[in-house]
Amino acid sequence: MVSSYAITEYPNVSEIYAKAKNLLQIPPYHFKKSAMERYMDFFEQKCTKSKSLITEAKKYIPGGVQHNLAFNYPFPIVVEKAEGSYLYDIDGNQYIDFLQAGGPTLLGSNYKPVQEKIIDVIKECSPATGLFHEFELKLAKEINHCMPAVEMFRMLGSGTESDMAALRIARLATKKKKIIKSGGAYHGWSDQLVYGLHLPKTGRFEAHGIPASCSKHTQEVFPNNIDALERKLKLNRLRGGTAAVLLEPLGPESGTRPVSKEYNKQVRELCDKYDALLIFDEVVTAFRLGLGGAQGYFNVKPDLTVFGKIVAGGYPGAGGVGGRSDLISLLAAGVEGHTKRAYVGGTLSANPVSAAAGYYSIKEIEKTDAAIKAGKVGDRLTQGLQKIIDQYNLPFVAYNQGSICHLETVGTLFLHLNYLKILKILKEIKIRKQAMEEYGAAYMAEGMVTLAGSRLYTSMANTPEIIDEALGRFDRIFQNIETPKID
Ligand SMILES: Cc1ncc(COP(=O)(O)O)c(C=O)c1O
């Protein structure tokens, strides 16, 4: 039983929402013109190789980058080297890495003890043979050791696939169709889950190219509203029932809209009451909050758990679904298969590299106490940010759940869609998204990579000195902010 977790003090959720409400009532704070020019100058003068490569890439790759994380205003940077706390771009600029490949590199980038083991595996066995490798068993046993609710584990290639598999299992097991998710949560880009994406109440707003029938049985409820969830479950009971409630246990977008500490327990009780399965999407929280994941921290047992990138320690081919053995057994193939099988596939899933990388990364996280160390520096970073925010009397919102740190300067992710005021909200989203990109650019120009300018993951590689260096840079950045004129 894992007993230590990265969260030293659970954030005051009502205070966060009160501050967020205040942030949304004022226009975004922008940088002084001279400062913004300096930041843009950094990109023009110091990132010339990145600029020309990305310009070329735009001819061959849609948008110039292969996924959203790599997007950056005014243009993406091209990374050449990753080591510990730092990333280095092709022009030789060094950045403190608070993006961490979107979360998985809790041990720090390119962590040597894992890297060396993976090189041995490749030399010995090649990246893939199509047959079983012992590391698949080792990884499944290790996950079960950390999270006893994960009695069985099926490794897959991504978080997206793993969420899809979890829903398929839930529907087959319960013979019900409806899935309830938290509005605004991202669970990958499958047809049925591009629904209520990023902001609550957005429904099919981003479901371009997806027939309405695909998300016919997907529903969203407002995050952190237990009564709304019960209403939906009750209503669904009259319409064939709910197969599963799918949640990120910290709240949508890795806790950007945090839930109260009791919320997950209450959801568990409701799932039992209404006979629905509870699925935790722990793509970000597993191992990062502690070896026991969010389920260990909240002491809530989900029926199914979805894993993503961290389950291969940041190496490619990373995902999986685990949980109650009677449920996961529905995936069984071959002679032991059930007559009705939840069909999943993936030729390169659970290849020796991802399975070994996952196994050794989790072992190292355990050996080094990485989650706790990263959580401590997460506290240091957040407390330091709060001090600077107070010093300059800024309306920004900073809080953290261990090594997941949130810095909301414009509050875009606190918006939700209201169809009665749709034009006003859409305009607001656009304005705030642009401002958010400016903050991302300023952080980058000061040598810090963040997730979309509003989330910062810390790692075991971040020493207190590195965090203090980052805080110095934030101080410099926040000095350049102009108070908006409010009529
Ligand atoms: C909570 C959550 N679920 C699912 C996914 C999708 O994972 P992947 O990008 O591996 O498909 C992500 C990706 O960021 C995520 O954060």
Side-chain angles (χ1 to χ4, degrees):
M1 177 76 186
V2 179
S3 57
S4 49
Y5 288 91
I7 301 180
T8 43
E9 196 181 335
Y10 197 72
N12 183 334
V13 171
S14 11
E15 189 181 290
I16 292 168
Y17 283 115
K19 285 184 177 179
K21 193 170 168 201
N22 175 51
L23 189 58
L24 289 178
Q25 273 162 2
I26 49 180
Y29 281 34
H30 290 281
F31 292 101
K32 290 176 190 147
K33 195 162 169 273
S34 56
M36 203 59 218
E37 279 168 6
R38 264 201 325 277
Y39 296 142
M40 290 301 109
D41 242 26
F42 165 80
F43 289 97
E44 288 304 322
Q45 309 296 329
K46 298 272 173 66
C47 303
T48 51
K49 287 187 187 160
S50 277
K51 188 175 182 183
S52 75
L53 258 179
I54 293 293
T55 309
E56 175 87 355
K58 279 185 180 158
K59 291 186 208 154
Y60 301 97
I61 294 170
V65 289
Q66 299 287 25
H67 56 84
N68 288 347
L69 274 189
F71 178 77
N72 180 65
Y73 175 74
F75 53 80
I77 58 150
V78 181
V79 171
E80 199 170 53
K81 184 177 154 188
E83 193 172 50
S85 284
Y86 298 104
L87 297 177
Y88 299 83
D89 71 14
I90 197 168
D91 291 282
N93 300 301
Q94 185 200 58
Y95 305 87
I96 302 175
D97 176 16
F98 290 126
L99 172 60
Q100 304 223 312
T105 54
L106 180 65
L107 294 159
S109 274
N110 229 348
Y111 185 70
K112 287 287 178 296
V114 174
Q115 188 205 62
E116 283 157 10
K117 296 272 192 331
I118 301 311
I119 292 170
D120 289 347
V121 170
I122 296 174
K123 280 186 182 158
E124 196 63 35
C125 182
S126 89
T129 64
L131 297 180
F132 192 81
H133 194 287
E134 190 188 354
F135 278 116
E136 294 170 45
L137 172 61
K138 285 185 164 198
L139 175 61
K141 279 174 81 172
E142 186 58 25
I143 296 173
N144 169 259
H145 164 69
C146 297
M147 298 181 200
V150 182
E151 294 165 1
M152 280 187 163
F153 174 70
R154 164 56 51 93
M155 194 166 197
L156 294 163
S158 70
T160 298
E161 286 179 56
S162 309
D163 273 305
M164 287 164 62
L167 300 194
R168 191 162 297 172
I169 295 168
R171 285 176 168 142
L172 178 60
T174 62
K175 303 190 175 39
K176 299 172 189 168
K177 295 195 180 87
K178 296 211 170 355
I179 302 293
I180 305 178
K181 61 161 291 204
S182 250
Y186 180 67
H187 298 290
W189 54 277
S190 67
D191 283 355
Q192 56 193 323
L193 286 172
V194 177
Y195 189 88
L197 221 56
H198 304 306
L199 302 181
K201 297 193 175 177
T202 44
R204 285 183 43 82
F205 202 69
E206 302 227 42
H208 311 297
I210 303 174
S213 54
C214 294
S215 40
K216 189 172 155 201
H217 299 293
T218 311
Q219 303 172 325
E220 56 167 316
V221 283
F222 210 83
N224 198 32
N225 185 336
I226 199 74
D227 297 333
L229 177 61
E230 176 144 32
R231 281 197 297 278
K232 191 75 82 191
L233 285 161
K234 212 180 256 178
L235 202 64
N236 285 353
R237 198 162 53 180
L238 306 170
R239 299 172 177 170
T242 307
V245 176
L246 167 65
L247 292 178
E248 277 184 274
L250 282 180
E253 292 280 350
S254 308
T256 298
R257 279 179 183 264
V259 293
S260 73
K261 200 163 178 198
E262 307 73 47
Y263 183 75
N264 291 294
K265 265 207 175 88
Q266 294 168 331
V267 177
R268 176 72 270 179
E269 283 162 16
L270 286 182
C271 284
D272 293 341
K273 183 171 167 188
Y274 290 91
D275 240 347
L277 297 186
L278 174 60
I279 307 173
F280 275 176
D281 181 333
E282 292 230 39
V283 164
V284 172
T285 47
F287 312 111
R288 183 168 273 284
L289 284 197
L291 288 165
Q295 53 198 270
Y297 175 74
F298 289 111
N299 195 20
V300 172
K301 196 172 165 185
D303 300 294
L304 294 169
T305 303
V306 171
F307 296 89
K309 38 213 164 195
I310 201 163
V311 91
Y315 282 76
V321 57
R324 276 170 37 197
S325 56
D326 60 315
L327 297 173
I328 299 298
S329 296
L330 294 171
L331 298 169
V335 284
E336 282 180 56
H338 293 243
T339 43
K340 283 193 180 170
R341 164 154 73 105
Y343 199 97
V344 299
T347 314
L348 291 185
S349 298
N351 60 74
V353 173
S354 10
Y359 171 72
Y360 285 120
S361 297
I362 298 167
K363 277 290 197 198
E364 282 295 314
I365 291 170
E366 190 168 2
K367 195 169 101 190
T368 57
D369 225 3
I372 310 303
K373 287 179 183 158
K376 281 211 174 96
V377 282
D379 288 347
R380 189 181 185 94
L381 179 64
T382 311
Q383 285 155 12
L385 284 169
Q386 190 59 56
K387 252 194 195 157
I388 306 169
I389 290 169
D390 293 342
Q391 186 187 339
Y392 297 115
N393 197 22
L394 296 165
F396 303 166
V397 194
Y399 54 99
N400 70 311
Q401 300 108 339
S403 56
I404 306 171
C405 307
H406 305 270
L407 172 60
E408 292 295 332
T409 51
V410 290
T412 319
L413 286 170
F414 287 120
L415 290 166
H416 64 267
L417 214 59
N418 176 342
Y419 283 89
L420 295 175
K421 300 181 189 164
I422 185 121
L423 290 178
K424 186 167 176 274
I425 302 270
L426 289 181
K427 193 172 155 208
E428 195 69 7
I429 292 174
K430 195 169 167 213
I431 292 170
R432 289 185 185 269
K433 218 169 143 248
Q434 266 167 8
M436 204 169 154
E437 285 174 2
E438 285 174 17
Y439 280 89
Y443 303 152
M444 196 74 109
E446 277 284 0
M448 296 183 291
V449 184
T450 62
L451 196 160
S454 70
R455 199 181 313 158
L456 298 91
Y457 292 117
T458 50
S459 80
M460 182 178 79
N462 298 148
T463 59
E465 292 72 30
I466 291 171
I467 296 298
D468 293 346
E469 171 61 33
L471 288 169
R473 296 179 192 190
F474 277 110
D475 191 317
R476 272 206 298 276
I477 295 167
F478 288 179
Q479 280 176 33
N480 289 319
I481 290 169
E482 206 159 41
T483 313
K485 292 183 192 69
I486 301 168
D487 335 304

